[in-house]
Each structure stands twice: as C-alpha cells, then as structure tokens.
Amino acid sequence: MNFSKKYKNSLSPSFSKCGKMIATTIGSKVLIRDVLTLQVLHMWVCYDSVREVLWSPDSAYIATVSGNSFQIWSLSDPVWRCSMDESDAGIQSVFWSPDSLHLLILHDFALFITVWSLEYGTQMYIKNTKSPQTVQFSPDGKYLAVIERTECNDFVDIFHTTSWTLLSQFKLPTVNAAGILWANSNAEVLVWDHSFEHRFYWYYTEGTQRFSHEIKKPISMGLQCVSVSPDGNTIVLGHHLHTIYLVNTLIRKVYGELVIPEIVSGKEVHVYREAFTNLVGSTILEQLNATPEHKFEVVTDDTVDISFDEITVEKTKATNAKEKPPKKYGISSMKWSQDSSYLAVLDSSRSNVITIWETKLRVLTAVLILRSSVKSFAWHPHLLRLIIGSGENSLYMWELDGSWVIQLPMECAVHVNKITWSSQGDSLLLGSKDSHCVGFLDGAQVGDD
C-alpha cells in the first residue's frame, strides 16, 4: 500500500459517492480534490467555520453546515450556490434525499424536519420528529419512514419522496421508540424501543404488525445498535449484555445468537495479538539500534482472556464530575462484509478487541487484540478485507489468510481515528483530529500535490 503526504483539516474528510473526489475543510474553507492526483479542483469559502459536509448521492452537489445556516455548492457550476439561514429553528442534522433533489433539515430539539427542493425552490414540513435514527429512506429511495411523537405516543409516518404526501400513519406500542429500519423490501419496517427496553416490532407499511419479539434478559440497557446486511436478508441486534441477535428478514424470526466470549481458545479460533518484537543483531550495538518489529502474533494458547481491555489509561484529575464521560458497555458497533457472510463486532467493554463472525454458520472466526482502543474499522467495498485504526500511526488489516500491521511512513503519519474506503475500493481516507492522508492500493497513482 502507498500513501500520500499529510494534509491538514478541521473536519474529517469524505469521499464523494462516486469515489473520484475528496472534500476537506479548513475552518470556513471547503476544498475538493481529485482522488488520484490530489489536485485541488474547487475551493469555496463559507459564512463561518464548517461543522458538517455532505455529498449528494449523485456527487453533483455538496451541502455545508455553518452554525445555523447551510449552503449548497454545485460541482458542475462552481459559481452557482444556494444559501439558507435557519437561525430561528437551528440545525441538528442534515440529510440528502436519494434523488439528490431535496435536502432535509432536522431542526434543534427534533421539533420538525424541513424538506427543501433544489428543483423548485419550495419547502414542506414534517412535524414532531424525534432523532436522526428515526428517519430512514427505503432501499430504492421512493419512500421515507419517520417516527414522530405526539402526546406521549409514537407513530410511524410513511411519505412518498416524489410528492412528499403522507401515505400511511400507524401507532406503535413502544415506550419510547429509538430507531427504525427498512427490511429487505419497500413494504416492511423494523422498529425497536429505547435502550431500557428489550423489544422490537416488524410492520407492513400500511400498519399491520407482522412480528414482535421481546428479549428475555435481566434488567440492563437493552439494545445498543442495529444493522442490516447488504443483501437485506439478515438484521443484527446488538445487546448491552454482549449478545448479538440474528433476525431473518425472509421468515421474520430470530434464528440465532452470537455471544461475545470472555475466554477463547487459540486452537479453535484464529487469535491475533498486536506485539512489538525486538530484532536480534549480530553485535550488541546492532541489538541496541535495532527497530522493534510491529506485527500481529498468532496466539495458540488453550485459553485467551479477552474479558478486559489491555490498555494503559493515563489518570487525570477531574475538575468537574460532569466532564467525565460515562463508561460504555455492550455491543457498540457492527459492520458487515460486502458479501454479507462476515460480521465485525466491537464491544465497548473490550474496546481493544475486534471479533469477526461467520454469520451463516454462527461461529467465531477470528479475534484481533490491539494495544489501544479501536477508533474505527471498515470493510473493503468489494473484497473480504477489514482495515482497523486505533489512533496510532499504523493500520491493522485482516483477511482470511491472516492479519498484518501496516506502518505509516513518517512523512504521512497520522493518528488514525477514522477510516473510509472509496466506493471503488482503490483508496482509503485515514483521518485524525486535524490531519489526514490517503492510502492507495498497489497499482494506484499517488498524487504529489
């Protein structure tokens, strides 16, 4: 793998949906670079420091959020732009519609959503919305599902995204619905309750309940995250008690569980542990000057304890009890491989451990134990390859053949906190808080500018 030089940024950079451009920000400036040459194609200056950048699905526009205003920029006509001030209601989140012709603004306190039309310059409103997790477009982009809360009750609203007319509305039995997802078609949605509950519901979009399930567990924080496989056949539910529930969207039933173990056997599962190995020189001077080899060691012990993070935490004196972030527990992130056959899982209770599962057989395939907490991980869009970042100047790669550590060169070394693959899979963005570089697979061109 080859790497570009390091570039500064104030926000995490992002690939265009086509994978041919990169958007970066420095204060109020937005720069658009070509992925291969890294030449600056466009540069725009916003009203204030940019806090969010969003590519349209067709890569023809970019929306930027600065304070309580947003601007839209055209890649084909750099002179054209659209600006709107939302100071009265504020801006919590911004979404592009799948047709790239509408921009949805979720306002502060989730009071309502404004739908702006780029084509006609009109606007409409969706009232009583809850959060970004309760707003989801259907797989083909024709419909929008929104959970609204009215008089302490949750309702699902289904809109048509061409006319933005309300097609159906039905009441939910939830205490406080936390999220909604479309199943493997445009006709069904899955809704789950907030983290203190253990229930989820399956509905047809006209309001008929198809299926419901309550997880029988002791008092805990309940469901933490939900993810749908790329083929749409499986939904996984990550629980607070280190358990993942597999839901088949065809038969609409929970058909299995994956439980993150505290002890694994290196003889039954591929266990890789990050290590530094001193190279042995022929003389004492060579041994002193030898650079430690950074790699994964294959662990073949009968029992490997992964119940606690292998992390050295630097203690700092807290000046205010409110400043101390709450400790996280349970399944915090789940990501599918491109062929829906493998699932990579991060449990917050063991934040330096990634477990990889073969979902069809429901077996644990590999365990990767890092020295630092995992910050980001991402599957290649076309290959069975997982890349992991832990805030260090290195990458960690897993394939069926094994695991490797990729050390970043000094001239492009960044503390990798975020990893993003391009849609074409020939490059990836490696971002930290204030800098980034681009990694290229062998054979891809590396820009000099």
Side-chain angles (χ1 to χ4, degrees):
M1 183 176 288
N2 300 314
F3 299 93
S4 71
K5 69 178 185 180
K6 183 164 61 174
Y7 295 91
K8 292 182 179 181
N9 59 257
S10 54
L11 287 179
S12 296
S14 58
F15 281 114
S16 61
K17 305 302 182 182
C18 65
K20 298 179 180 180
M21 293 172 285
I22 299 173
T24 60
T25 58
I26 302 176
S28 60
K29 294 182 180 179
V30 179
L31 287 78
I32 308 299
R33 296 180 182 271
D34 181 89
V35 168
L36 293 181
T37 65
L38 297 179
Q39 296 280 350
V40 176
L41 303 177
H42 305 288
M43 185 182 75
W44 299 298
V45 179
C46 302
Y47 294 137
D48 202 347
S49 294
V50 180
R51 63 181 177 94
E52 191 172 3
V53 174
L54 299 100
W55 286 93
S56 64
D58 62 1
S59 301
Y61 299 95
I62 274 189
T64 59
V65 181
S66 303
N68 287 321
S69 64
F70 69 88
Q71 295 174 273
I72 302 175
W73 313 83
S74 171
L75 276 298
S76 60
D77 184 4
V79 179
W80 180 92
R81 72 174 182 179
C82 170
S83 303
M84 184 58 60
D85 187 359
E86 294 283 0
S87 297
D88 293 338
I91 298 176
Q92 180 179 338
S93 298
V94 179
F95 313 88
W96 279 101
S97 64
D99 62 6
S100 299
L101 296 177
H102 300 84
L103 195 70
L104 283 69
I105 310 296
L106 177 61
H107 296 283
D108 286 345
F109 309 108
L111 294 175
F112 62 96
I113 290 176
T114 302
V115 182
W116 290 93
S117 171
L118 271 67
E119 187 175 12
Y120 301 109
T122 57
Q123 63 190 53
M124 59 87 63
Y125 302 98
I126 301 173
K127 298 181 179 180
N128 303 318
T129 51
K130 298 190 67 173
S131 70
Q133 290 73 34
T134 59
V135 181
Q136 291 290 330
F137 287 97
S138 61
D140 64 0
K142 292 182 178 179
Y143 305 99
L144 174 69
V146 178
I147 298 179
E148 71 165 71
R149 191 164 182 86
T150 304
E151 297 180 352
C152 299
N153 293 307
D154 292 325
F155 296 84
V156 171
D157 299 340
I158 305 296
F159 295 89
H160 196 287
T161 57
T162 300
S163 61
W164 296 101
T165 54
L166 180 63
L167 300 179
S168 66
Q169 182 186 72
F170 52 91
K171 185 178 179 180
L172 297 172
T174 51
V175 176
N176 187 8
I180 187 169
L181 283 175
W182 290 85
N184 61 343
S185 69
N186 290 336
E188 302 169 24
V189 293
L190 181 76
V191 177
W192 62 96
D193 221 330
H194 73 108
S195 59
F196 286 102
E197 301 295 328
H198 302 76
R199 294 186 294 267
F200 59 93
Y201 307 88
W202 201 296
Y203 283 91
Y204 290 116
T205 52
E206 94 287 349
T208 303
Q209 185 179 121
R210 181 66 178 84
F211 167 65
S212 66
H213 184 78
E214 182 174 1
I215 300 170
K216 303 297 182 180
K217 288 288 183 181
I219 296 175
S220 69
M221 292 294 291
L223 297 177
Q224 301 287 85
C225 55
V226 181
S227 179
V228 183
S229 62
D231 61 12
N233 293 332
T234 306
I235 295 176
V236 287
L237 311 168
H239 194 270
H240 173 73
L241 295 179
H242 321 299
T243 304
I244 301 164
Y245 297 91
L246 305 173
V247 181
N248 188 294
T249 61
L250 302 178
I251 62 175
R252 303 173 183 85
K253 289 184 178 181
V254 176
Y255 71 92
E257 298 179 6
L258 307 176
V259 181
I260 308 296
E262 294 188 4
I263 303 293
V264 296
S265 172
K267 296 182 178 180
E268 298 177 358
V269 179
H270 296 291
V271 180
Y272 305 94
R273 190 193 306 271
E274 182 185 3
F276 289 88
T277 303
N278 289 324
L279 301 177
V280 180
S282 57
T283 66
I284 295 179
L285 181 60
E286 289 179 352
Q287 293 182 28
L288 293 175
N289 293 331
T291 302
E293 184 181 6
H294 193 185
K295 65 177 184 179
F296 272 119
E297 288 183 343
V298 179
V299 182
T300 58
D301 299 342
D302 288 330
T303 58
V304 181
D305 188 351
I306 61 172
S307 58
F308 298 100
D309 294 347
E310 298 181 356
I311 303 170
T312 301
V313 180
E314 182 181 349
K315 295 183 179 180
T316 57
K317 185 177 180 180
T319 57
N320 189 335
K322 295 182 179 180
E323 295 178 0
K324 186 178 181 180
K327 184 173 177 58
K328 296 181 180 179
Y329 297 94
I331 308 299
S332 57
S333 183
M334 304 178 293
K335 297 187 179 181
W336 289 93
S337 62
Q338 88 295 342
D339 60 357
S340 302
S341 60
Y342 288 87
L343 183 71
V345 179
L346 176 64
D347 190 312
S348 293
S349 305
R350 304 146 194 171
S351 60
N352 64 324
V353 176
I354 290 286
T355 55
I356 301 173
W357 301 78
E358 187 175 357
T359 54
K360 292 182 180 179
L361 300 178
R362 285 176 277 172
V363 297
L364 181 60
T365 300
V367 176
L368 282 70
I369 306 173
L370 308 186
R371 294 170 62 91
S372 303
S373 296
V374 174
K375 303 297 184 183
S376 179
F377 59 103
W379 288 97
H380 189 282
H382 309 298
L383 304 175
L384 194 60
R385 175 183 296 160
L386 181 70
I387 298 290
I388 305 168
S390 65
E392 305 292 337
N393 297 327
S394 54
L395 299 176
Y396 309 91
M397 182 171 68
W398 176 86
E399 294 179 343
L400 284 177
D401 295 337
S403 292
W404 300 268
V405 178
I406 303 173
Q407 193 69 40
L408 273 64
M410 290 300 297
E411 62 271 14
C412 63
V414 298
H415 298 285
V416 182
N417 292 322
K418 186 175 181 179
I419 297 172
T420 308
W421 284 99
S422 68
S423 58
Q424 298 170 339
D426 55 358
S427 57
L428 69 163
L429 276 170
L430 309 175
S432 67
K433 182 179 180 180
D434 56 5
S435 61
H436 70 278
C437 71
V438 184
F440 298 89
L441 299 186
D442 293 340
Q445 181 181 353
V446 183
D448 296 325
D449 186 21

